[in-house]
Amino acid sequence: GEDVEQSLFLSVREGDSSVINCTYTDSSSTYLYWYKQEPGAGLQLLTYIFSNMDMKQDQRLTVLLNKKDKHLSLRIADTQTGDSAIYFCAEKGTGTASKLTFGTGTRLQVTL
Amino acid sequence: GAVVSQHPSRVICKSGTSVKIECRSLDFQATTMFWYRQFPKQSLMLMATSNEGSKATYEQGVEKDKFLINHASLTLSTLTVTSAHPEDSSFYICSAPPGLAGGIDTQYFGPGTRLTVL
């Protein structure tokens, strides 16, 4: 079955860049996503990348995809205290109504 | 953008009672909705796929008689936790794919329901 792994915790100083990594096993993934979850809240879609892309940049967010190694990363430039949250990567197979498989989540702590 | 709501946001109940959680897509129709469960400091685990007009599809290990799902309309799915016990205490989150008309192929998530069973 699918398996998606992330490191559990990352601490960065305000203003530095954060890089959150994710590895997955399903080579048939069509889309890969990054979601943000603040305490006690649902998930907010941050960005996504289609499986035939290598990189996508959206303001402070840069997503890199290495399909050969099944490795996905999210870089947050100029990290702010408001970025403190849990970040989940997720993969989706084919079909619009296909389920998502979530990573284990990375807790990002931003310090002053 | 696409919005998904859940009600209630928080519920506390006694052991043995049943609790109903609603999930609504507010500005789009969803023939499919997903129900997830999240334990503290853990990832989301898919419980079941709710299908409008047909039976829900449950993931392995999820008791369909305990977690009743009804997809009553194209904008509403309900999850009923029957005869709830303390081990059912969790954060329940629903999601719905808006379809490609939503611009991207993804799912939009509700804000979650915190269930505490005493």
Side-chain angles (χ1 to χ4, degrees), chain B:
Chain B
V3 177
V4 175
S5 71
Q6 276 184 248
H7 177 80
S9 58
R10 182 181 293 268
V11 57
I12 301 173
C13 69
K14 292 183 179 180
S15 186
T17 60
S18 294
V19 175
K20 180 185 284 188
I21 303 169
E22 294 185 347
C23 177
R24 293 181 186 272
S25 56
L26 296 184
D27 53 0
F28 65 97
Q29 293 182 333
T31 55
T32 301
M33 291 184 176
F34 299 92
W35 286 97
Y36 296 85
R37 183 174 181 177
Q38 185 181 32
F39 289 105
K41 299 185 179 180
Q42 293 190 24
S43 187
L44 279 73
M45 298 301 297
L46 180 66
M47 298 175 65
T49 302
S50 173
N51 304 298
E52 191 271 336
S54 64
K55 291 182 180 180
T57 306
Y58 290 82
E59 295 298 302
Q60 191 173 7
V62 178
E63 298 176 61
K64 61 181 180 181
D65 294 330
K66 180 164 185 65
F67 299 99
L68 300 179
I69 290 173
N70 181 23
H71 201 130
S73 73
L74 288 171
T75 59
L76 174 63
S77 174
T78 60
L79 168 68
T80 301
V81 183
T82 62
S83 186
H85 291 283
E87 57 266 28
D88 299 323
S89 298
S90 191
F91 194 53
Y92 293 87
I93 305 176
C94 70
S95 72
L100 295 178
I104 58 172
D105 193 0
T106 185
Q107 295 177 21
Y108 291 100
F109 286 80
T113 297
R114 172 76 59 194
L115 170 63
T116 303
V117 184
L118 302 176

Side-chain angles (χ1 to χ4, degrees), chain A residues 6 8-20 34-39 42 44-47 58-62 74-88 105-112:
Chain A
Q6 296 177 239
L8 289 179
F9 183 76
L10 175 66
S11 181
V12 298
R13 288 191 175 185
E14 188 178 40
D16 289 349
S17 293
S18 308
V19 179
I20 302 171
W34 284 103
Y35 286 89
K36 176 183 180 182
Q37 185 180 35
E38 297 187 18
Q44 172 195 356
L45 177 66
L46 283 179
T47 188
D58 184 2
Q59 299 182 330
R60 292 192 298 124
L61 306 178
T62 302
L74 173 69
R75 179 177 180 270
I76 305 173
D78 187 25
T79 312
Q80 303 297 307
T81 54
D83 295 324
S84 294
I86 300 176
Y87 291 80
F88 292 97
T106 299
R107 181 177 296 275
L108 174 64
Q109 180 184 64
V110 182
T111 59
L112 297 174

Side-chain angles (χ1 to χ4, degrees), chain A residues 39-102:
Chain A
L43 273 68
Q44 172 195 356
L45 177 66
L46 283 179
T47 188
Y48 66 97
I49 188 166
F50 192 52
S51 59
N52 68 354
M53 299 167 65
D54 298 323
M55 186 191 85
K56 180 180 178 183
Q57 186 164 1
D58 184 2
Q59 299 182 330
R60 292 192 298 124
L61 306 178
T62 302
V63 179
L64 295 178
L65 175 60
N66 182 328
K67 198 172 181 181
K68 174 177 172 287
D69 295 337
K70 298 188 182 69
H71 183 265
L72 180 74
S73 68
L74 173 69
R75 179 177 180 270
I76 305 173
D78 187 25
T79 312
Q80 303 297 307
T81 54
D83 295 324
S84 294
I86 300 176
Y87 291 80
F88 292 97
C89 63
E91 62 172 355
K92 177 182 175 299
T94 56
T96 303
S98 293
K99 64 181 184 180
L100 296 178
T101 301
F102 284 88

